[in-house]
Amino acid sequence: MAAEKPHMNLAVIGHIDHGKSTFVGRLMYDAGAVPPHIIDKFREEAKQKGKESFAFAWVMDSLKEERERGITIDIAHKRFDTDKYYFTVVDCPGHRDFVKNMITGASQADAAVLVVAAPDGVMAQTKEHIFLSRTLGINQLIVAVNKMDAVDYSEARYKEVVEQVSGILKMIGFKPSEIPFIPTSAFYGDNIVKLSDKTSWYKGTSMMDALNNLKQPEKPSTLPLRIPVEDAYTISGIGTVPVGRVETGVMKKGDKVVFMPGGATGEVKSIEMHHEEIPQAVPGDNIGWNVRGIGKNDVRRGDVCGHVDNPPKVADEFVGQIVVLQHPSAITAGYTPVFHSHTSQIACQLIALNKKLDPKTGQTKEENPTFLKAGDAAIVTIKPTKPMVIEPVKEIPQLGRFAIRDMGMTIAAGMCMSVKQK
């Protein structure tokens, strides 16, 4: 067996109905990760249901409810390989109710493909996903201008969409000149593996080449161990098995670990990845691990696992720098929305608005402002309503970012500057 290729987690983001699931299904199929007979079977089923265009999407949307409704709910993890990397696709739901899943998905990604449908161009959610991915620390992006078949492969329309998306990317510090914008038709496979003659005007790379050109993320294995728990299962004969992605540090069999904020401790008995036992887990690995002495009620989603000699920080209060993306009125001290950070979702109160910043320069614009509105950047003091693990972004960036949600939308996004521990 050849040495394992470097691993990348890829988020696929974008507005609902812009073809994300079909795009991912097509990638997996063209990369040889899905056998043709499976797609043929889905094609047959889809045809009978009068949903022919959904065949590829069903590769990802394996949940029955999703097929019936034609939308993506869960975050499905799927693997495919290019010449250079093996990718785990984190297919992020675009549907509004599912943004909190999208936050969990994007926060695990090393890079993202933003799918924007050529006929529609930028939609509200396209913007929201771009802002979120940036705040969640994704700094490598590929844009797929999808459904080119629906605009007759028009170069003029492609350029308009590139222009629209570039405007938003610039606002939040991406450099559009460094980002590939690939005209694609996921349904027909144009420009996925090789360049299509239908877009002879396009001189860039194919999607597979763009994926190969991504830079390998630095492995934060020298940082303290941090594994946010996505879920915990009870498996008969084994016991409690938390699952999650190693964000930083290295965990080996026999390590003494602690789950915060609860404080339960135990010894690592075994570690599994892709159903195979492994001796140690490194950043980027999606694993299940069994800990001697940990019961079903000792660990839950949102907890963070670390070594007992350097446990994850539990905040009594923390200072954050936030950008308000949208809010129907104004945000004042006392506001208590839900904070999404790594895998936790906890209501937190803004107990003080310390200063308003100029979003362009980062300089202080106003001390102790009375309110914040959409477009404002600010430093605020935050008090979680129950124990919450969060780390200063300068120390452990992977656990220092958060999104703030309320009324079914993302109100703000931010990062933790300092923690006052419990």
Side-chain angles (χ1 to χ4, degrees):
M1 157 123 183
E4 188 65 86
K5 291 176 187 168
H7 177 228
M8 295 271 268
N9 278 312
L10 183 72
V12 179
I13 60 177
H15 196 76
I16 187 168
D17 290 340
H18 278 200
K20 293 190 299 295
S21 293
T22 300
F23 172 81
V24 172
R26 166 61 77 178
L27 265 186
M28 312 248 324
Y29 175 67
D30 285 354
V34 182
H37 71 263
I38 301 244
I39 292 280
D40 291 340
K41 183 173 111 226
F42 283 155
R43 275 207 177 106
E44 256 329 289
E45 278 182 45
K47 212 175 197 158
Q48 285 162 12
K49 291 195 170 161
K51 292 185 171 170
E52 227 160 315
S53 69
F54 281 101
F56 286 108
W58 283 0
V59 173
M60 290 306 279
D61 299 343
S62 44
L63 301 178
K64 182 156 186 320
E65 180 197 3
E66 297 187 3
R67 288 197 196 178
E68 300 302 326
R69 288 168 66 190
I71 53 178
T72 308
I73 297 170
D74 189 26
I75 295 172
H77 286 287
K78 293 279 189 287
R79 171 179 176 157
F80 73 92
D81 290 66
T82 63
D83 311 335
K84 193 169 151 193
Y85 293 119
Y86 96 75
F87 285 94
T88 302
V89 180
V90 193
D91 185 34
C92 297
H95 206 258
R96 267 199 57 184
D97 335 342
F98 307 129
V99 168
K100 57 179 188 295
N101 281 8
M102 141 82 204
I103 293 170
T104 323
S107 65
Q108 300 173 350
D110 300 306
V113 175
L114 171 69
V115 179
V116 186
D120 295 344
V122 170
M123 306 290 277
Q125 246 180 307
T126 314
K127 283 188 191 152
E128 186 174 13
H129 280 197
I130 295 173
F131 279 124
L132 278 173
S133 59
R134 186 58 167 179
T135 311
L136 293 163
I138 294 175
N139 40 31
Q140 301 195 71
L141 195 61
I142 298 169
V143 179
V145 181
N146 196 26
K147 303 196 181 183
M148 285 300 294
D149 53 298
V151 294
D152 296 327
Y153 300 94
S154 151
E155 181 181 10
R157 181 58 190 154
Y158 161 81
K159 284 183 165 156
E160 282 170 15
V161 175
V162 170
E163 200 56 31
Q164 280 183 6
V165 176
S166 298
I168 299 169
L169 293 174
K170 274 192 202 118
M171 264 166 67
I172 53 168
F174 277 111
K175 294 197 176 85
S177 58
E178 294 171 6
I179 293 175
F181 287 84
I182 305 174
T184 59
S185 161
F187 189 63
Y188 292 107
D190 296 298
N191 296 326
I192 301 289
V193 173
K194 53 182 202 297
L195 294 180
S196 162
D197 48 15
K198 294 182 190 139
T199 52
S200 51
W201 43 265
Y202 171 68
K203 299 293 179 252
T205 60
S206 70
M207 184 52 73
M208 288 295 184
D209 286 341
L211 290 168
N212 274 330
N213 293 341
L214 290 167
K215 289 190 212 42
Q216 208 180 328
E218 284 173 29
K219 288 268 187 234
S221 45
T222 51
L223 291 174
L225 177 70
R226 296 292 182 266
I227 316 176
V229 176
E230 277 172 44
D231 218 332
Y233 299 100
T234 304
I235 298 173
S236 59
I238 297 176
T240 301
V241 179
V243 294
R245 174 179 188 250
V246 182
E247 289 296 341
T248 55
V250 175
M251 183 169 73
K252 299 184 168 83
K253 254 166 96 157
D255 281 0
K256 301 268 191 297
V257 294
V258 58
F259 290 87
M260 299 304 276
T265 59
E267 183 187 316
V268 178
K269 279 204 309 205
S270 62
I271 309 171
E272 265 201 10
M273 179 155 111
H274 295 305
H275 307 298
E276 282 171 29
E277 198 165 319
I278 54 176
Q280 63 167 31
V282 297
D285 288 349
N286 288 302
I287 59 164
W289 69 107
N290 177 229
V291 182
R292 187 178 282 117
I294 293 285
K296 178 77 178 110
N297 299 327
D298 296 330
V299 54
R300 58 185 57 82
R301 182 185 170 89
D303 287 357
V304 179
C305 177
H307 286 128
V308 285
D309 54 4
N310 191 338
K313 288 188 176 63
V314 179
D316 182 37
E317 293 177 4
F318 62 99
V319 174
Q321 180 175 326
I322 65 169
V323 179
V324 183
L325 306 177
Q326 52 187 346
H327 193 276
S329 53
I331 291 172
T332 53
Y335 180 49
T336 311
V338 176
F339 278 59
H340 293 251
S341 177
H342 53 90
T343 58
S344 77
Q345 298 162 18
I346 291 178
C348 296
Q349 187 172 41
L350 289 120
I351 53 177
L353 309 181
N354 309 343
K355 47 180 108 168
K356 206 187 275 191
L357 307 173
D358 179 338
K360 287 182 190 63
T361 62
Q363 300 302 309
T364 303
K365 207 158 69 171
E366 185 186 337
E367 296 281 352
N368 307 316
T370 43
F371 65 90
L372 302 172
K373 57 182 196 322
D376 284 345
I379 305 275
V380 295
T381 304
I382 298 149
K383 190 170 178 71
T385 57
K386 58 183 210 223
M388 170 181 184
V389 171
I390 193 159
E391 304 275 355
V393 81
K394 293 243 183 334
E395 292 171 27
I396 305 186
Q398 294 73 6
L399 269 83
R401 300 173 191 277
F402 54 84
I404 302 177
R405 291 189 43 88
D406 189 17
M407 303 170 287
M409 60 186 173
T410 303
I411 300 293
M415 49 196 178
C416 170
M417 312 310 282
S418 63
V419 173
K420 186 174 129 198
Q421 292 195 60
K422 266 204 159 352

